[in-house]
Amino acid sequence: LSPAIPLMQQELGDMHTNTLSAMNNLALAYGKDGKYSKEANLLEEVYPLLQSTLGSEHPVTLTALCNLALAYGRCGNYSKEVELMDTVYHIRCNTLGKEPPDTLVSLNNLAIAHGHLGKHDTEIELLEQALILRRNVLGVAHPNTSSSLNSLGLAHVHAGNTRKAIKLLEMTYTLRCTV
């Protein structure tokens, strides 16, 4: 750990939000540096502390859980990535509803996690749901809608549906050129 973390823990306590934020940031830096196991291990430590400090449904706690899921994915533990992304998505659905942007990001993340497992039919189904919801909520020209369209195209590439993929990716390109 960074020398600052034990000092913060001593001065502020293990459960102080500044301490937890510093630990979370350090974990993310490990990930950016390619140290995925260190990232996952530190996030495994941070998440339960945030959960008990802020609660399971707090946005910061859910972001930490999403970060942990992504770290598991980077470590190749795709089943755990799917499990945690599913938890984030369902908590956001229950607390925010199915249409808010944070919930739609969670749906998109869950879909991509299924793709990491090779479950391309599920990935495509979830990405289609995300695209429809984003079009309805954010509009066709919104960057997140374009991102969903792009993700759906890439999912079709991975599933071997190249004609469908090309059509979707051409639509993405056209949309991004006109916005």
Side-chain angles (χ1 to χ4, degrees), residues 39-49 68 72:
E39 175 191 26
N41 289 338
L42 191 51
L43 288 170
E44 285 173 341
E45 192 178 329
V46 170
Y47 171 69
L49 296 172
L68 179 56
Y72 281 135

Side-chain angles (χ1 to χ4, degrees), residues 76-136:
N77 190 345
Y78 302 125
S79 59
K80 193 70 173 173
E81 178 189 23
V82 167
E83 176 189 330
L84 297 185
M85 287 298 187
D86 188 63
T87 299
V88 171
Y89 173 67
H90 282 95
I91 290 173
R92 286 198 168 136
C93 281
N94 291 334
T95 57
L96 302 174
K98 290 189 177 203
E99 295 183 347
D102 285 347
T103 305
L104 297 177
V105 168
S106 297
L107 178 58
N108 206 71
N109 289 344
L110 176 59
I112 291 168
H114 277 285
H116 293 160
L117 269 178
K119 296 181 176 180
H120 299 298
D121 290 343
T122 303
E123 176 187 24
I124 288 168
E125 179 185 326
L126 294 174
L127 287 171
E128 286 172 345
Q129 288 175 32
L131 178 60
I132 290 166
L133 288 167
R134 280 182 165 167
R135 278 185 180 154
N136 292 342

